[in-house]
Amino acid sequence: MSLLARVPRRVPRLVSCYLNLSTDSTHTGQQFDKSDPRNARYLGGRKKEVNPNFGIKLVAEEPIEIVGKNHVWCDGGDGHLGHPKVFINLDKGVTKPCGYCGKQFKEHE
């Protein structure tokens, strides 16, 4: 029997009375309706904590590395703290990111 099947039908109404629901959404846009039983985790004054620094935004802030070739490799840097070496083919005028770390590369025009 699933956990939601064991929740009494009156719980959503009780839960919605005591919730301190935040209007913030996660990077995936996750928000629950007030009557959703999953909101029970916010009972007792607990708030939904959402980190505004999504990883994709932080990667976009990194400067683009301009290279003089039509191909480049990336290993994430920092030796053993990096990632497997990957080779990236570059097209003129097009910025391409590393699939692991998101570092962006562009061929010098």
Side-chain angles (χ1 to χ4, degrees):
M1 179 184 280
S2 74
L3 182 61
L4 289 177
R6 287 185 259 155
V7 175
R9 291 180 188 257
R10 69 178 185 277
V11 168
R13 280 182 270 133
L14 293 173
V15 168
S16 63
C17 303
Y18 299 102
L19 285 179
N20 186 2
L21 289 179
S22 171
T23 57
D24 298 337
S25 64
T26 62
H27 67 287
T28 60
Q30 179 188 45
Q31 285 186 321
F32 300 127
D33 198 37
K34 280 192 172 196
S35 62
D36 195 314
R38 290 176 285 187
N39 284 323
R41 67 184 94 172
Y42 305 119
L43 285 173
R46 293 180 64 194
K47 291 185 175 184
K48 182 177 183 180
E49 297 178 15
V50 177
N51 185 350
N53 299 319
F54 302 134
I56 195 70
K57 290 181 184 176
L58 298 175
V59 169
E61 292 175 3
E62 289 293 319
I64 298 171
E65 186 172 329
I66 308 294
V67 294
K69 300 177 183 178
N70 65 350
H71 62 278
V72 67
W73 57 267
C74 181
D75 65 357
D78 297 329
H80 64 283
L81 297 176
H83 58 70
K85 186 185 282 188
V86 292
F87 292 86
I88 303 165
N89 293 320
L90 302 173
D91 298 324
K92 286 225 184 262
V94 178
T95 302
K96 293 220 178 157
C98 170
Y100 282 98
C101 64
K103 187 174 181 179
Q104 299 182 38
F105 299 94
K106 186 175 182 180
E107 185 180 356
H108 180 70
E109 294 183 31

